[in-house]
């Protein structure tokens, strides 16, 4: 069964992005796309989009329309990331080092809309899926 491919979040390797026009290397406001095709992602709130990463500002959120068993994200900095799938809270990640964090550990492949809500000071690099 097909699953969502690895997804990079900085502008240098960002693919399958929908939403507000990207502003490179400076904080800017973003709005979610009205709809997201499978495997696409979108930003909302204030973000600084760098070449390899995104830095969360006030009200920073990210949505991803996924299909996978497991979802992992590389994060750094300090703060929290609240995960919701199809609008239902699933977990809160406590970010305190630069490493791979588990967002979802499933037993079978599923699809859905993932929303991550970031506290300012968290940096995100990429998603991987299992």
């Amino acid at each position: 069964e097909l699953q969502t491919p690895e997804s990079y979040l900085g502008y240098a390797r960002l693919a399958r992005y929908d939403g507000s026009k990207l502003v490179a290397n400076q904080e800017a406001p973003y709005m979610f796309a009205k709809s997201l095709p499978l495997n696409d992602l979108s930003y909302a709130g204030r973000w600084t989009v760098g070449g390899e990463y995104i830095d969360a500002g006030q009200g920073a959120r990210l949505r991803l329309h996924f299909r996978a068993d497991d979802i992992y994200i590389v994060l750094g900095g300090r703060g929290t990331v609240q995960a919701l799938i199809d609008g239902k809270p699933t977990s809160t990640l406590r970010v305190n080092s630069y490493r791979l964090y588990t967002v979802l550990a499933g037993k079978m492949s599923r699809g859905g809309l993932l929303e991550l809500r970031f506290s300012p000071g968290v940096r995100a690099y990429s998603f991987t899926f299992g």
Side-chain angles (χ1 to χ4, degrees):
E1 189 171 332
L2 295 176
Q3 71 178 17
T4 299
E6 188 169 41
S7 300
Y8 296 94
L9 301 174
Y11 65 78
R13 296 171 66 183
L14 182 63
R16 299 176 310 279
Y17 169 81
D18 290 312
S20 302
K21 182 179 177 187
L22 293 176
V23 177
N25 302 314
Q26 63 183 16
E27 188 174 287
Y30 291 86
M31 291 181 58
F32 285 137
K34 292 186 192 300
S35 65
L36 278 179
L38 183 62
N39 303 327
D40 282 15
L41 60 90
S42 189
Y43 304 146
R46 297 195 67 82
W47 288 98
T48 301
V49 180
E52 301 296 322
Y53 57 82
I54 53 176
D55 278 333
Q58 199 63 29
R61 296 180 296 153
L62 180 155
R63 284 186 182 159
L64 170 71
H65 187 175
F66 73 93
R67 171 155 292 288
D69 293 355
D70 308 305
I71 304 173
Y72 308 98
I73 187 170
V74 177
L75 299 170
R78 290 201 171 277
T80 59
V81 177
Q82 182 184 17
L84 299 90
I85 296 179
D86 297 329
K88 296 180 177 124
T90 59
S91 64
T92 298
L93 307 174
R94 307 225 182 284
V95 181
N96 55 19
S97 64
Y98 286 82
R99 66 178 180 86
L100 186 71
Y101 290 81
T102 302
V103 177
L104 174 69
K107 293 184 178 11
M108 61 183 198
S109 184
R110 63 176 286 190
L113 184 65
L114 171 68
E115 182 173 323
L116 299 179
R117 297 176 180 173
F118 294 75
S119 65
V122 175
R123 179 175 280 186
Y125 289 85
S126 63
F127 283 103
T128 58
F129 304 90

